[in-house]
Structure formats: structure tokens, C-alpha cells
Amino acid sequence: GAVVSQHPSWVICKSGTSVKIECRSLDFQATTMFWYRQFPKQSLMLMATSNEGSKATYEQGVEKDKFLINHASLTLSTLTVTSAHPEDSSFYICSARPSAAEQYFGPGTRLTVT
Amino acid sequence: GENVEQHPSTLSVQEGDSAVIKCTYSDSASNYFPWYKQELGKRPQLIIDIRSNVGEKKDQRIAVTLNKTAKHFSLHITETQPEDSAVYFCAATPSSNTGKLIFGQGTTLQVKP
């Protein structure tokens, strides 16, 4: 199956700082990638759709100025959590589609804001 | 917008028994319904999916059924094994056809040996 990677796998940062998370499709090109957030024992909540070469589409309630998404190439999307606060601590997962429908997920990034 | 409801939230079965997880969706134009298995701290893994032009799909011990009229779809696992223990999520692609997935709340399946 298709392979999606994420970096870093975990990160600890101080409140007020920014953190960048990378999502890469390793063996296919992805014009669209998706970013999800998952709190402990909860479901995956779609945050935004990352579109190569254009602006991301954010879901209702997600602050686009806080969660900056850049999709500069067909294999890389980045999510930057700006001015992070403890409530931003979560598991962030990206996904990408090698075909019209199937999505494959990255391994996730555990963010802890102290 | 699209909403996906999943039941039950927890399910405990004896090894060898069958397990059934059910989901309903709100957008009648949804056309793709995957199921994911997620182990603690790991990524969701696609285990089976079904498209709206098919009523049932089977892959070894796993099957998915879709009732478009009722907007229901279900995951069936037969001959359960302890390694089937995990959290299972259903999802649906809304009619906007952007490819995004809306997930159900998840079902924690425990298979007791």
C-alpha cells in the first residue's frame, strides 16, 4: 500500500512557541492531503484539506491563522501550530490519497505543549 | 454537513465469536465508506471499504454491508481473535467530493481469549 510519513513523531514545546509538522507521501504524488487532530480516546477530527499550490480549506471552527498549512510540493504538506498553548496538545495525523478515494494515514505526531 | 454516528462505543466478545459495528450517515450523496482499525498510539489502518454502488464486500473474516436507503453501513468480523482488539472507526465521504472523510466516534473492541 501507499506510504505516508510524518516528522517529528513527537514534540514537546513551550507555550507561546510555534511547531512545524511535516507530512510526506513517499511513493506517490498527492495533490491533496488532509490534517486531522485526535484527542485521547476520541475520534479523528478533520482540521483542513491541504491543496498543492493553493490555499488550504479549513473546517468550521478551525483557526486558519493558528494552524498554518503549506503544500508546496506534490509530496509534502506542513502544518505549523503557531503560538501553541496547552490545549493544543494532541495527536496530529495527516493523510493522503494515491487514488480517487482511498486514504492512507501518516504515523501521527504527538504534540505536548507545556 | 455530513454526520456519522457509530455504535456501540465499546464491544466485548469471546474469542471465536462475531462482532458487528454499525454506522449511520446523514448525507445521502455520500459514496465511499471505509473502515479503519487503530491500535493505541498508532495510525489508523484501512481494513476494508465499500462504495455506494455495492451492497456488500467481504475480505476473509471481515465484511462490510451498505444499505443506501437507510443510510446504514456495518462492519462484521467473524471468528474474532485477540489481535482484533483495537479501536475501529467508520467514515464517510460527503457529497462535496473533496475526498475528505468524516469519522464516526469509534468502537473499542475487546476480544477475550
Side-chain angles (χ1 to χ4, degrees), chain A residues 4 34 36 38 42-44 46 49 59 91 93 97 101-103 105-107, chain B residues 32 36 38 41-44 46 49 51 89 98-105:
Chain A
V4 178
F34 303 91
Y36 295 84
Q38 186 176 33
Q42 293 189 24
S43 186
L44 288 84
L46 178 66
T49 302
E59 294 299 303
F91 193 50
I93 311 177
R97 297 189 299 167
E102 297 172 5
Q103 282 192 34
F105 286 84
Chain B
Y32 176 63
Y36 288 88
Q38 187 180 31
K42 297 190 176 181
R43 77 184 83 193
L46 179 68
D49 57 10
R51 299 178 194 278
F89 292 98
T98 59
K100 65 181 183 181
L101 293 175
I102 305 301
F103 282 83
Q105 296 86 345

PDB file of all heavy atoms in Angstrom, chain A residues 4 34 36 38 42-44 46 49 59 91 93 97 101-103 105-107, chain B residues 32 36 38 41-44 46 49 51 89 98-105:
ATOM      1  N   VAL A   4       2.831   6.955   3.842  1.00  0.00           N
ATOM      2  CA  VAL A   4       2.822   8.357   4.259  1.00  0.00           C
ATOM      3  C   VAL A   4       3.652   8.467   5.532  1.00  0.00           C
ATOM      4  O   VAL A   4       3.460   7.680   6.467  1.00  0.00           O
ATOM      5  CB  VAL A   4       1.385   8.845   4.512  1.00  0.00           C
ATOM      6  CG1 VAL A   4       1.384  10.297   4.994  1.00  0.00           C
ATOM      7  CG2 VAL A   4       0.540   8.712   3.239  1.00  0.00           C
ATOM      8  N   PHE A  34      -4.673  15.717   3.925  1.00  0.00           N
ATOM      9  CA  PHE A  34      -5.623  16.099   4.964  1.00  0.00           C
ATOM     10  C   PHE A  34      -4.940  16.092   6.326  1.00  0.00           C
ATOM     11  O   PHE A  34      -4.087  15.252   6.601  1.00  0.00           O
ATOM     12  CB  PHE A  34      -6.811  15.126   4.982  1.00  0.00           C
ATOM     13  CG  PHE A  34      -7.543  15.027   3.668  1.00  0.00           C
ATOM     14  CD1 PHE A  34      -7.165  14.083   2.729  1.00  0.00           C
ATOM     15  CD2 PHE A  34      -8.589  15.881   3.377  1.00  0.00           C
ATOM     16  CE1 PHE A  34      -7.821  13.996   1.505  1.00  0.00           C
ATOM     17  CE2 PHE A  34      -9.266  15.798   2.164  1.00  0.00           C
ATOM     18  CZ  PHE A  34      -8.869  14.851   1.227  1.00  0.00           C
ATOM     19  N   TYR A  36      -5.675  15.913  10.448  1.00  0.00           N
ATOM     20  CA  TYR A  36      -6.640  15.563  11.480  1.00  0.00           C
ATOM     21  C   TYR A  36      -6.014  15.795  12.843  1.00  0.00           C
ATOM     22  O   TYR A  36      -4.801  15.748  13.008  1.00  0.00           O
ATOM     23  CB  TYR A  36      -7.043  14.087  11.374  1.00  0.00           C
ATOM     24  CG  TYR A  36      -7.784  13.711  10.108  1.00  0.00           C
ATOM     25  CD1 TYR A  36      -7.080  13.418   8.939  1.00  0.00           C
ATOM     26  CD2 TYR A  36      -9.172  13.636  10.079  1.00  0.00           C
ATOM     27  CE1 TYR A  36      -7.748  13.066   7.777  1.00  0.00           C
ATOM     28  CE2 TYR A  36      -9.858  13.271   8.921  1.00  0.00           C
ATOM     29  CZ  TYR A  36      -9.133  12.998   7.772  1.00  0.00           C
ATOM     30  OH  TYR A  36      -9.807  12.643   6.628  1.00  0.00           O
ATOM     31  N   GLN A  38      -6.540  14.336  16.901  1.00  0.00           N
ATOM     32  CA  GLN A  38      -7.192  13.301  17.687  1.00  0.00           C
ATOM     33  C   GLN A  38      -6.823  13.467  19.148  1.00  0.00           C
ATOM     34  O   GLN A  38      -5.660  13.308  19.526  1.00  0.00           O
ATOM     35  CB  GLN A  38      -6.798  11.901  17.187  1.00  0.00           C
ATOM     36  CG  GLN A  38      -7.552  10.778  17.870  1.00  0.00           C
ATOM     37  CD  GLN A  38      -7.210   9.411  17.299  1.00  0.00           C
ATOM     38  OE1 GLN A  38      -6.080   9.170  16.872  1.00  0.00           O
ATOM     39  NE2 GLN A  38      -8.180   8.515  17.284  1.00  0.00           N
ATOM     40  N   GLN A  42     -10.674   9.725  21.641  1.00  0.00           N
ATOM     41  CA  GLN A  42     -11.672  10.347  20.794  1.00  0.00           C
ATOM     42  C   GLN A  42     -11.417  10.013  19.329  1.00  0.00           C
ATOM     43  O   GLN A  42     -10.418   9.385  18.987  1.00  0.00           O
ATOM     44  CB  GLN A  42     -11.693  11.867  21.013  1.00  0.00           C
ATOM     45  CG  GLN A  42     -12.177  12.279  22.387  1.00  0.00           C
ATOM     46  CD  GLN A  42     -12.399  13.771  22.493  1.00  0.00           C
ATOM     47  OE1 GLN A  42     -12.617  14.465  21.499  1.00  0.00           O
ATOM     48  NE2 GLN A  42     -12.350  14.289  23.717  1.00  0.00           N
ATOM     49  N   SER A  43     -12.339  10.458  18.505  1.00  0.00           N
ATOM     50  CA  SER A  43     -12.235  10.167  17.082  1.00  0.00           C
ATOM     51  C   SER A  43     -11.301  11.151  16.387  1.00  0.00           C
ATOM     52  O   SER A  43     -10.798  12.095  17.003  1.00  0.00           O
ATOM     53  CB  SER A  43     -13.625  10.234  16.448  1.00  0.00           C
ATOM     54  OG  SER A  43     -13.580   9.817  15.108  1.00  0.00           O
ATOM     55  N   LEU A  44     -11.092  10.934  15.118  1.00  0.00           N
ATOM     56  CA  LEU A  44     -10.291  11.843  14.310  1.00  0.00           C
ATOM     57  C   LEU A  44     -11.189  12.984  13.829  1.00  0.00           C
ATOM     58  O   LEU A  44     -12.249  12.749  13.245  1.00  0.00           O
ATOM     59  CB  LEU A  44      -9.706  11.131  13.093  1.00  0.00           C
ATOM     60  CG  LEU A  44      -8.583  10.153  13.362  1.00  0.00           C
ATOM     61  CD1 LEU A  44      -9.105   8.794  13.756  1.00  0.00           C
ATOM     62  CD2 LEU A  44      -7.678  10.018  12.138  1.00  0.00           C
ATOM     63  N   LEU A  46     -11.335  16.167  11.347  1.00  0.00           N
ATOM     64  CA  LEU A  46     -10.691  16.809  10.214  1.00  0.00           C
ATOM     65  C   LEU A  46     -10.486  18.286  10.517  1.00  0.00           C
ATOM     66  O   LEU A  46     -11.423  18.983  10.906  1.00  0.00           O
ATOM     67  CB  LEU A  46     -11.545  16.635   8.960  1.00  0.00           C
ATOM     68  CG  LEU A  46     -11.018  17.290   7.696  1.00  0.00           C
ATOM     69  CD1 LEU A  46      -9.719  16.632   7.248  1.00  0.00           C
ATOM     70  CD2 LEU A  46     -12.066  17.206   6.581  1.00  0.00           C
ATOM     71  N   THR A  49      -8.097  20.646   4.651  1.00  0.00           N
ATOM     72  CA  THR A  49      -7.664  19.983   3.428  1.00  0.00           C
ATOM     73  C   THR A  49      -6.545  20.810   2.832  1.00  0.00           C
ATOM     74  O   THR A  49      -6.716  22.018   2.582  1.00  0.00           O
ATOM     75  CB  THR A  49      -8.830  19.880   2.434  1.00  0.00           C
ATOM     76  OG1 THR A  49      -9.890  19.159   3.047  1.00  0.00           O
ATOM     77  CG2 THR A  49      -8.393  19.169   1.162  1.00  0.00           C
ATOM     78  N   GLU A  59     -11.812  23.439   8.099  1.00  0.00           N
ATOM     79  CA  GLU A  59     -13.132  23.060   8.591  1.00  0.00           C
ATOM     80  C   GLU A  59     -13.642  24.141   9.548  1.00  0.00           C
ATOM     81  O   GLU A  59     -12.863  24.914  10.131  1.00  0.00           O
ATOM     82  CB  GLU A  59     -13.073  21.719   9.296  1.00  0.00           C
ATOM     83  CG  GLU A  59     -12.731  20.574   8.366  1.00  0.00           C
ATOM     84  CD  GLU A  59     -13.746  20.376   7.245  1.00  0.00           C
ATOM     85  OE1 GLU A  59     -14.947  20.185   7.553  1.00  0.00           O
ATOM     86  OE2 GLU A  59     -13.334  20.442   6.067  1.00  0.00           O
ATOM     87  N   PHE A  91      -2.784  14.609  19.283  1.00  0.00           N
ATOM     88  CA  PHE A  91      -2.164  13.729  18.286  1.00  0.00           C
ATOM     89  C   PHE A  91      -2.597  14.265  16.927  1.00  0.00           C
ATOM     90  O   PHE A  91      -3.786  14.294  16.618  1.00  0.00           O
ATOM     91  CB  PHE A  91      -2.669  12.300  18.521  1.00  0.00           C
ATOM     92  CG  PHE A  91      -1.918  11.221  17.803  1.00  0.00           C
ATOM     93  CD1 PHE A  91      -0.535  11.153  17.858  1.00  0.00           C
ATOM     94  CD2 PHE A  91      -2.591  10.233  17.094  1.00  0.00           C
ATOM     95  CE1 PHE A  91       0.166  10.141  17.220  1.00  0.00           C
ATOM     96  CE2 PHE A  91      -1.904   9.215  16.456  1.00  0.00           C
ATOM     97  CZ  PHE A  91      -0.522   9.166  16.519  1.00  0.00           C
ATOM     98  N   ILE A  93      -2.508  13.931  12.893  1.00  0.00           N
ATOM     99  CA  ILE A  93      -2.300  12.902  11.872  1.00  0.00           C
ATOM    100  C   ILE A  93      -2.626  13.475  10.500  1.00  0.00           C
ATOM    101  O   ILE A  93      -3.652  14.152  10.340  1.00  0.00           O
ATOM    102  CB  ILE A  93      -3.192  11.663  12.100  1.00  0.00           C
ATOM    103  CG1 ILE A  93      -3.113  11.175  13.537  1.00  0.00           C
ATOM    104  CG2 ILE A  93      -2.799  10.541  11.154  1.00  0.00           C
ATOM    105  CD1 ILE A  93      -4.023   9.999  13.823  1.00  0.00           C
ATOM    106  N   ARG A  97      -4.024  10.733  -0.495  1.00  0.00           N
ATOM    107  CA  ARG A  97      -4.724   9.799  -1.369  1.00  0.00           C
ATOM    108  C   ARG A  97      -3.907   9.492  -2.616  1.00  0.00           C
ATOM    109  O   ARG A  97      -3.656  10.383  -3.413  1.00  0.00           O
ATOM    110  CB  ARG A  97      -6.056  10.386  -1.828  1.00  0.00           C
ATOM    111  CG  ARG A  97      -7.049  10.649  -0.749  1.00  0.00           C
ATOM    112  CD  ARG A  97      -8.398  11.011  -1.353  1.00  0.00           C
ATOM    113  NE  ARG A  97      -8.332  12.227  -2.165  1.00  0.00           N
ATOM    114  CZ  ARG A  97      -9.292  12.606  -2.998  1.00  0.00           C
ATOM    115  NH1 ARG A  97     -10.366  11.857  -3.149  1.00  0.00           N
ATOM    116  NH2 ARG A  97      -9.181  13.732  -3.689  1.00  0.00           N
ATOM    117  N   ALA A 101     -10.127   7.726  -3.959  1.00  0.00           N
ATOM    118  CA  ALA A 101     -10.869   7.656  -2.705  1.00  0.00           C
ATOM    119  C   ALA A 101     -10.026   7.183  -1.522  1.00  0.00           C
ATOM    120  O   ALA A 101     -10.102   7.756  -0.455  1.00  0.00           O
ATOM    121  CB  ALA A 101     -12.080   6.749  -2.868  1.00  0.00           C
ATOM    122  N   GLU A 102      -9.229   6.157  -1.690  1.00  0.00           N
ATOM    123  CA  GLU A 102      -8.530   5.563  -0.553  1.00  0.00           C
ATOM    124  C   GLU A 102      -7.574   6.560   0.074  1.00  0.00           C
ATOM    125  O   GLU A 102      -6.810   7.231  -0.616  1.00  0.00           O
ATOM    126  CB  GLU A 102      -7.754   4.330  -1.005  1.00  0.00           C
ATOM    127  CG  GLU A 102      -8.649   3.231  -1.539  1.00  0.00           C
ATOM    128  CD  GLU A 102      -7.842   2.116  -2.166  1.00  0.00           C
ATOM    129  OE1 GLU A 102      -6.608   2.169  -2.090  1.00  0.00           O
ATOM    130  OE2 GLU A 102      -8.446   1.207  -2.735  1.00  0.00           O
ATOM    131  N   GLN A 103      -7.627   6.633   1.392  1.00  0.00           N
ATOM    132  CA  GLN A 103      -6.698   7.498   2.115  1.00  0.00           C
ATOM    133  C   GLN A 103      -5.792   6.656   2.987  1.00  0.00           C
ATOM    134  O   GLN A 103      -6.238   5.688   3.595  1.00  0.00           O
ATOM    135  CB  GLN A 103      -7.466   8.482   3.003  1.00  0.00           C
ATOM    136  CG  GLN A 103      -8.057   9.647   2.270  1.00  0.00           C
ATOM    137  CD  GLN A 103      -8.562  10.730   3.190  1.00  0.00           C
ATOM    138  OE1 GLN A 103      -8.001  10.984   4.244  1.00  0.00           O
ATOM    139  NE2 GLN A 103      -9.647  11.365   2.780  1.00  0.00           N
ATOM    140  N   PHE A 105      -2.874   7.006   6.100  1.00  0.00           N
ATOM    141  CA  PHE A 105      -2.510   7.917   7.160  1.00  0.00           C
ATOM    142  C   PHE A 105      -1.028   7.849   7.501  1.00  0.00           C
ATOM    143  O   PHE A 105      -0.388   6.798   7.389  1.00  0.00           O
ATOM    144  CB  PHE A 105      -3.324   7.601   8.418  1.00  0.00           C
ATOM    145  CG  PHE A 105      -4.756   8.044   8.309  1.00  0.00           C
ATOM    146  CD1 PHE A 105      -5.697   7.240   7.693  1.00  0.00           C
ATOM    147  CD2 PHE A 105      -5.148   9.281   8.790  1.00  0.00           C
ATOM    148  CE1 PHE A 105      -7.019   7.661   7.569  1.00  0.00           C
ATOM    149  CE2 PHE A 105      -6.465   9.708   8.670  1.00  0.00           C
ATOM    150  CZ  PHE A 105      -7.392   8.892   8.060  1.00  0.00           C
ATOM    151  N   GLY A 106      -0.516   8.991   7.924  1.00  0.00           N
ATOM    152  CA  GLY A 106       0.815   9.032   8.480  1.00  0.00           C
ATOM    153  C   GLY A 106       0.797   8.453   9.884  1.00  0.00           C
ATOM    154  O   GLY A 106      -0.278   8.189  10.441  1.00  0.00           O
ATOM    155  N   PRO A 107       1.964   8.264  10.490  1.00  0.00           N
ATOM    156  CA  PRO A 107       2.041   7.651  11.820  1.00  0.00           C
ATOM    157  C   PRO A 107       1.629   8.586  12.946  1.00  0.00           C
ATOM    158  O   PRO A 107       1.498   8.142  14.083  1.00  0.00           O
ATOM    159  CB  PRO A 107       3.514   7.262  11.946  1.00  0.00           C
ATOM    160  CG  PRO A 107       4.213   8.215  11.059  1.00  0.00           C
ATOM    161  CD  PRO A 107       3.284   8.486   9.915  1.00  0.00           C
TER     162      PRO A 107
ATOM    163  N   TYR B  32     -18.555   6.801  -0.486  1.00  0.00           N
ATOM    164  CA  TYR B  32     -17.401   5.962  -0.141  1.00  0.00           C
ATOM    165  C   TYR B  32     -17.362   5.803   1.371  1.00  0.00           C
ATOM    166  O   TYR B  32     -17.469   6.793   2.108  1.00  0.00           O
ATOM    167  CB  TYR B  32     -16.118   6.624  -0.651  1.00  0.00           C
ATOM    168  CG  TYR B  32     -14.852   5.894  -0.282  1.00  0.00           C
ATOM    169  CD1 TYR B  32     -14.596   4.603  -0.746  1.00  0.00           C
ATOM    170  CD2 TYR B  32     -13.908   6.490   0.545  1.00  0.00           C
ATOM    171  CE1 TYR B  32     -13.439   3.937  -0.399  1.00  0.00           C
ATOM    172  CE2 TYR B  32     -12.742   5.827   0.891  1.00  0.00           C
ATOM    173  CZ  TYR B  32     -12.513   4.554   0.416  1.00  0.00           C
ATOM    174  OH  TYR B  32     -11.369   3.897   0.751  1.00  0.00           O
ATOM    175  N   TYR B  36     -11.553   1.772   9.435  1.00  0.00           N
ATOM    176  CA  TYR B  36     -10.168   1.801   9.871  1.00  0.00           C
ATOM    177  C   TYR B  36     -10.029   1.123  11.229  1.00  0.00           C
ATOM    178  O   TYR B  36     -10.923   1.198  12.078  1.00  0.00           O
ATOM    179  CB  TYR B  36      -9.667   3.248   9.989  1.00  0.00           C
ATOM    180  CG  TYR B  36      -9.460   3.933   8.655  1.00  0.00           C
ATOM    181  CD1 TYR B  36     -10.501   4.600   8.032  1.00  0.00           C
ATOM    182  CD2 TYR B  36      -8.223   3.898   8.031  1.00  0.00           C
ATOM    183  CE1 TYR B  36     -10.317   5.226   6.803  1.00  0.00           C
ATOM    184  CE2 TYR B  36      -8.026   4.527   6.805  1.00  0.00           C
ATOM    185  CZ  TYR B  36      -9.078   5.180   6.202  1.00  0.00           C
ATOM    186  OH  TYR B  36      -8.885   5.798   4.990  1.00  0.00           O
ATOM    187  N   GLN B  38      -7.471   1.096  14.514  1.00  0.00           N
ATOM    188  CA  GLN B  38      -6.396   1.872  15.118  1.00  0.00           C
ATOM    189  C   GLN B  38      -5.980   1.246  16.438  1.00  0.00           C
ATOM    190  O   GLN B  38      -6.787   1.108  17.352  1.00  0.00           O
ATOM    191  CB  GLN B  38      -6.807   3.332  15.340  1.00  0.00           C
ATOM    192  CG  GLN B  38      -5.666   4.220  15.818  1.00  0.00           C
ATOM    193  CD  GLN B  38      -6.087   5.664  16.040  1.00  0.00           C
ATOM    194  OE1 GLN B  38      -7.220   5.956  16.396  1.00  0.00           O
ATOM    195  NE2 GLN B  38      -5.154   6.594  15.835  1.00  0.00           N
ATOM    196  N   GLY B  41      -1.924   4.536  20.043  1.00  0.00           N
ATOM    197  CA  GLY B  41      -0.752   5.328  19.682  1.00  0.00           C
ATOM    198  C   GLY B  41      -0.279   5.173  18.258  1.00  0.00           C
ATOM    199  O   GLY B  41       0.777   5.706  17.893  1.00  0.00           O
ATOM    200  N   LYS B  42      -1.062   4.456  17.444  1.00  0.00           N
ATOM    201  CA  LYS B  42      -0.632   4.216  16.069  1.00  0.00           C
ATOM    202  C   LYS B  42      -1.597   4.835  15.065  1.00  0.00           C
ATOM    203  O   LYS B  42      -2.648   5.340  15.419  1.00  0.00           O
ATOM    204  CB  LYS B  42      -0.494   2.708  15.831  1.00  0.00           C
ATOM    205  CG  LYS B  42       0.580   2.078  16.706  1.00  0.00           C
ATOM    206  CD  LYS B  42       0.870   0.654  16.291  1.00  0.00           C
ATOM    207  CE  LYS B  42       2.006   0.091  17.120  1.00  0.00           C
ATOM    208  NZ  LYS B  42       2.349  -1.306  16.724  1.00  0.00           N
ATOM    209  N   ARG B  43      -1.211   4.764  13.824  1.00  0.00           N
ATOM    210  CA  ARG B  43      -2.039   5.355  12.782  1.00  0.00           C
ATOM    211  C   ARG B  43      -3.239   4.475  12.474  1.00  0.00           C
ATOM    212  O   ARG B  43      -3.189   3.259  12.652  1.00  0.00           O
ATOM    213  CB  ARG B  43      -1.198   5.538  11.512  1.00  0.00           C
ATOM    214  CG  ARG B  43      -0.972   4.248  10.711  1.00  0.00           C
ATOM    215  CD  ARG B  43      -0.064   4.473   9.530  1.00  0.00           C
ATOM    216  NE  ARG B  43       1.342   4.428   9.888  1.00  0.00           N
ATOM    217  CZ  ARG B  43       2.330   4.827   9.095  1.00  0.00           C
ATOM    218  NH1 ARG B  43       2.059   5.330   7.915  1.00  0.00           N
ATOM    219  NH2 ARG B  43       3.580   4.747   9.480  1.00  0.00           N
ATOM    220  N   PRO B  44      -4.329   5.044  11.989  1.00  0.00           N
ATOM    221  CA  PRO B  44      -5.449   4.222  11.515  1.00  0.00           C
ATOM    222  C   PRO B  44      -5.024   3.441  10.279  1.00  0.00           C
ATOM    223  O   PRO B  44      -4.353   3.972   9.390  1.00  0.00           O
ATOM    224  CB  PRO B  44      -6.519   5.259  11.170  1.00  0.00           C
ATOM    225  CG  PRO B  44      -6.117   6.511  11.869  1.00  0.00           C
ATOM    226  CD  PRO B  44      -4.614   6.485  11.912  1.00  0.00           C
ATOM    227  N   LEU B  46      -6.453   1.174   7.101  1.00  0.00           N
ATOM    228  CA  LEU B  46      -7.631   0.814   6.313  1.00  0.00           C
ATOM    229  C   LEU B  46      -7.778  -0.706   6.289  1.00  0.00           C
ATOM    230  O   LEU B  46      -6.840  -1.413   5.934  1.00  0.00           O
ATOM    231  CB  LEU B  46      -7.474   1.342   4.893  1.00  0.00           C
ATOM    232  CG  LEU B  46      -8.602   1.026   3.913  1.00  0.00           C
ATOM    233  CD1 LEU B  46      -9.872   1.773   4.298  1.00  0.00           C
ATOM    234  CD2 LEU B  46      -8.186   1.382   2.488  1.00  0.00           C
ATOM    235  N   ASP B  49     -13.241  -1.300   2.661  1.00  0.00           N
ATOM    236  CA  ASP B  49     -14.052  -0.153   2.268  1.00  0.00           C
ATOM    237  C   ASP B  49     -15.120  -0.611   1.292  1.00  0.00           C
ATOM    238  O   ASP B  49     -15.067  -1.715   0.742  1.00  0.00           O
ATOM    239  CB  ASP B  49     -13.204   0.965   1.664  1.00  0.00           C
ATOM    240  CG  ASP B  49     -12.376   0.509   0.447  1.00  0.00           C
ATOM    241  OD1 ASP B  49     -12.603  -0.617  -0.053  1.00  0.00           O
ATOM    242  OD2 ASP B  49     -11.501   1.275   0.018  1.00  0.00           O
ATOM    243  N   ARG B  51     -18.034   1.040  -1.734  1.00  0.00           N
ATOM    244  CA  ARG B  51     -18.540   2.196  -2.465  1.00  0.00           C
ATOM    245  C   ARG B  51     -20.053   2.083  -2.611  1.00  0.00           C
ATOM    246  O   ARG B  51     -20.631   1.006  -2.456  1.00  0.00           O
ATOM    247  CB  ARG B  51     -17.854   2.289  -3.822  1.00  0.00           C
ATOM    248  CG  ARG B  51     -16.365   2.451  -3.682  1.00  0.00           C
ATOM    249  CD  ARG B  51     -15.614   2.505  -5.007  1.00  0.00           C
ATOM    250  NE  ARG B  51     -14.184   2.332  -4.791  1.00  0.00           N
ATOM    251  CZ  ARG B  51     -13.356   3.289  -4.423  1.00  0.00           C
ATOM    252  NH1 ARG B  51     -13.821   4.507  -4.241  1.00  0.00           N
ATOM    253  NH2 ARG B  51     -12.073   3.047  -4.234  1.00  0.00           N
ATOM    254  N   PHE B  89     -12.944   2.567  13.480  1.00  0.00           N
ATOM    255  CA  PHE B  89     -13.646   3.769  13.050  1.00  0.00           C
ATOM    256  C   PHE B  89     -14.278   3.538  11.687  1.00  0.00           C
ATOM    257  O   PHE B  89     -13.635   3.022  10.764  1.00  0.00           O
ATOM    258  CB  PHE B  89     -12.680   4.955  12.924  1.00  0.00           C
ATOM    259  CG  PHE B  89     -12.106   5.441  14.217  1.00  0.00           C
ATOM    260  CD1 PHE B  89     -10.847   5.035  14.624  1.00  0.00           C
ATOM    261  CD2 PHE B  89     -12.824   6.304  15.026  1.00  0.00           C
ATOM    262  CE1 PHE B  89     -10.302   5.488  15.819  1.00  0.00           C
ATOM    263  CE2 PHE B  89     -12.292   6.774  16.228  1.00  0.00           C
ATOM    264  CZ  PHE B  89     -11.029   6.352  16.617  1.00  0.00           C
ATOM    265  N   THR B  98     -14.615  16.216  -2.098  1.00  0.00           N
ATOM    266  CA  THR B  98     -13.247  16.712  -1.949  1.00  0.00           C
ATOM    267  C   THR B  98     -12.317  15.611  -1.492  1.00  0.00           C
ATOM    268  O   THR B  98     -11.113  15.817  -1.443  1.00  0.00           O
ATOM    269  CB  THR B  98     -13.221  17.840  -0.900  1.00  0.00           C
ATOM    270  OG1 THR B  98     -13.715  17.312   0.333  1.00  0.00           O
ATOM    271  CG2 THR B  98     -14.073  19.013  -1.346  1.00  0.00           C
ATOM    272  N   GLY B  99     -12.892  14.467  -1.176  1.00  0.00           N
ATOM    273  CA  GLY B  99     -12.095  13.352  -0.690  1.00  0.00           C
ATOM    274  C   GLY B  99     -11.965  13.319   0.817  1.00  0.00           C
ATOM    275  O   GLY B  99     -11.442  12.359   1.370  1.00  0.00           O
ATOM    276  N   LYS B 100     -12.430  14.340   1.492  1.00  0.00           N
ATOM    277  CA  LYS B 100     -12.277  14.331   2.943  1.00  0.00           C
ATOM    278  C   LYS B 100     -13.177  13.276   3.559  1.00  0.00           C
ATOM    279  O   LYS B 100     -14.186  12.883   2.989  1.00  0.00           O
ATOM    280  CB  LYS B 100     -12.583  15.709   3.524  1.00  0.00           C
ATOM    281  CG  LYS B 100     -14.016  16.182   3.351  1.00  0.00           C
ATOM    282  CD  LYS B 100     -14.168  17.567   3.949  1.00  0.00           C
ATOM    283  CE  LYS B 100     -15.602  18.072   3.877  1.00  0.00           C
ATOM    284  NZ  LYS B 100     -15.716  19.439   4.453  1.00  0.00           N
ATOM    285  N   LEU B 101     -12.775  12.800   4.711  1.00  0.00           N
ATOM    286  CA  LEU B 101     -13.512  11.779   5.425  1.00  0.00           C
ATOM    287  C   LEU B 101     -14.081  12.341   6.714  1.00  0.00           C
ATOM    288  O   LEU B 101     -13.403  13.067   7.438  1.00  0.00           O
ATOM    289  CB  LEU B 101     -12.595  10.603   5.767  1.00  0.00           C
ATOM    290  CG  LEU B 101     -12.074   9.769   4.598  1.00  0.00           C
ATOM    291  CD1 LEU B 101     -11.082   8.727   5.102  1.00  0.00           C
ATOM    292  CD2 LEU B 101     -13.216   9.096   3.860  1.00  0.00           C
ATOM    293  N   ILE B 102     -15.318  11.974   6.996  1.00  0.00           N
ATOM    294  CA  ILE B 102     -15.932  12.295   8.267  1.00  0.00           C
ATOM    295  C   ILE B 102     -16.024  10.990   9.051  1.00  0.00           C
ATOM    296  O   ILE B 102     -16.603  10.016   8.572  1.00  0.00           O
ATOM    297  CB  ILE B 102     -17.331  12.912   8.082  1.00  0.00           C
ATOM    298  CG1 ILE B 102     -17.258  14.128   7.151  1.00  0.00           C
ATOM    299  CG2 ILE B 102     -17.922  13.279   9.435  1.00  0.00           C
ATOM    300  CD1 ILE B 102     -16.349  15.233   7.634  1.00  0.00           C
ATOM    301  N   PHE B 103     -15.464  10.996  10.249  1.00  0.00           N
ATOM    302  CA  PHE B 103     -15.339   9.777  11.020  1.00  0.00           C
ATOM    303  C   PHE B 103     -16.451   9.624  12.041  1.00  0.00           C
ATOM    304  O   PHE B 103     -16.964  10.604  12.595  1.00  0.00           O
ATOM    305  CB  PHE B 103     -13.993   9.753  11.760  1.00  0.00           C
ATOM    306  CG  PHE B 103     -12.834   9.381  10.878  1.00  0.00           C
ATOM    307  CD1 PHE B 103     -12.221  10.335  10.083  1.00  0.00           C
ATOM    308  CD2 PHE B 103     -12.371   8.080  10.844  1.00  0.00           C
ATOM    309  CE1 PHE B 103     -11.162   9.990   9.256  1.00  0.00           C
ATOM    310  CE2 PHE B 103     -11.316   7.729  10.031  1.00  0.00           C
ATOM    311  CZ  PHE B 103     -10.712   8.686   9.235  1.00  0.00           C
ATOM    312  N   GLY B 104     -16.795   8.371  12.306  1.00  0.00           N
ATOM    313  CA  GLY B 104     -17.639   8.055  13.436  1.00  0.00           C
ATOM    314  C   GLY B 104     -16.839   8.168  14.729  1.00  0.00           C
ATOM    315  O   GLY B 104     -15.632   8.428  14.709  1.00  0.00           O
ATOM    316  N   GLN B 105     -17.520   7.939  15.834  1.00  0.00           N
ATOM    317  CA  GLN B 105     -16.911   8.172  17.138  1.00  0.00           C
ATOM    318  C   GLN B 105     -15.943   7.079  17.565  1.00  0.00           C
ATOM    319  O   GLN B 105     -15.177   7.257  18.502  1.00  0.00           O
ATOM    320  CB  GLN B 105     -18.003   8.331  18.205  1.00  0.00           C
ATOM    321  CG  GLN B 105     -18.886   9.551  17.994  1.00  0.00           C
ATOM    322  CD  GLN B 105     -20.061   9.280  17.062  1.00  0.00           C
ATOM    323  OE1 GLN B 105     -20.099   8.285  16.339  1.00  0.00           O
ATOM    324  NE2 GLN B 105     -21.021  10.174  17.099  1.00  0.00           N
TER     325      GLN B 105
END
